[in-house]
Amino acid sequence: MYSKEVKEYFENPINMGIIEDANGIGQIKNEICSDIIKIYLKVNEKNIIEDAKFEAKGCPPVIAACCAITNMIKNMNIDESKNITAKEIIEKLNGLPKEKVHCAELVIKTFKKAIKSITK
Ligand code: FES
């Protein structure tokens, strides 16, 4: 049902944890499935995302999508990272079942919230 990429990220998640001195944090809870996602960003004065981590209580696609996005955005300019779409994440994961597409969308929403909260 899930791609090799989703399974690998779910079994060995990368970038899972907290950034103590994060200057951007986004959190979302899906009221339907109760999944919770929190993304931490550390952005420097040049608007580069130096570090990104996440905590999540959720389904395998949520964990995998959090791994993928936190990996993609490291060392990226904030403006550039804003353009990342759920479709790109799903491509990185080598596809998601149709009924799980909303999981990647939820991760993007959380990321956008984290971006909005950035203080420098
Ligand atoms: Fe709810 Fe994945 S099943 S976010």
Side-chain angles (χ1 to χ4, degrees), residues 15 20 31 40 43 48 118:
N15 303 326
E20 295 288 352
E31 296 303 333
Y40 299 85
V43 179
I48 303 293
I118 291 170

Side-chain angles (χ1 to χ4, degrees), residues 86-95:
K87 191 168 167 262
E88 281 175 82
I89 303 233
I90 292 168
E91 274 166 20
K92 285 267 178 223
L93 299 177
N94 209 6

Side-chain angles (χ1 to χ4, degrees), residues 45-94:
E45 61 291 338
K46 289 183 180 145
N47 282 341
I48 303 293
I49 301 171
E50 281 182 350
D51 201 6
K53 287 197 191 303
F54 74 95
E55 291 180 298
K57 189 183 97 26
C59 59
V62 155
I63 307 289
C66 282
C67 292
I69 195 163
T70 47
N71 208 27
M72 281 164 86
I73 59 177
K74 269 191 204 173
N75 298 315
M76 205 181 252
N77 185 287
I78 297 178
D79 289 331
E80 197 188 337
S81 74
K82 278 180 191 163
N83 298 325
I84 295 175
T85 61
K87 191 168 167 262
E88 281 175 82
I89 303 233
I90 292 168
E91 274 166 20
K92 285 267 178 223
L93 299 177
N94 209 6

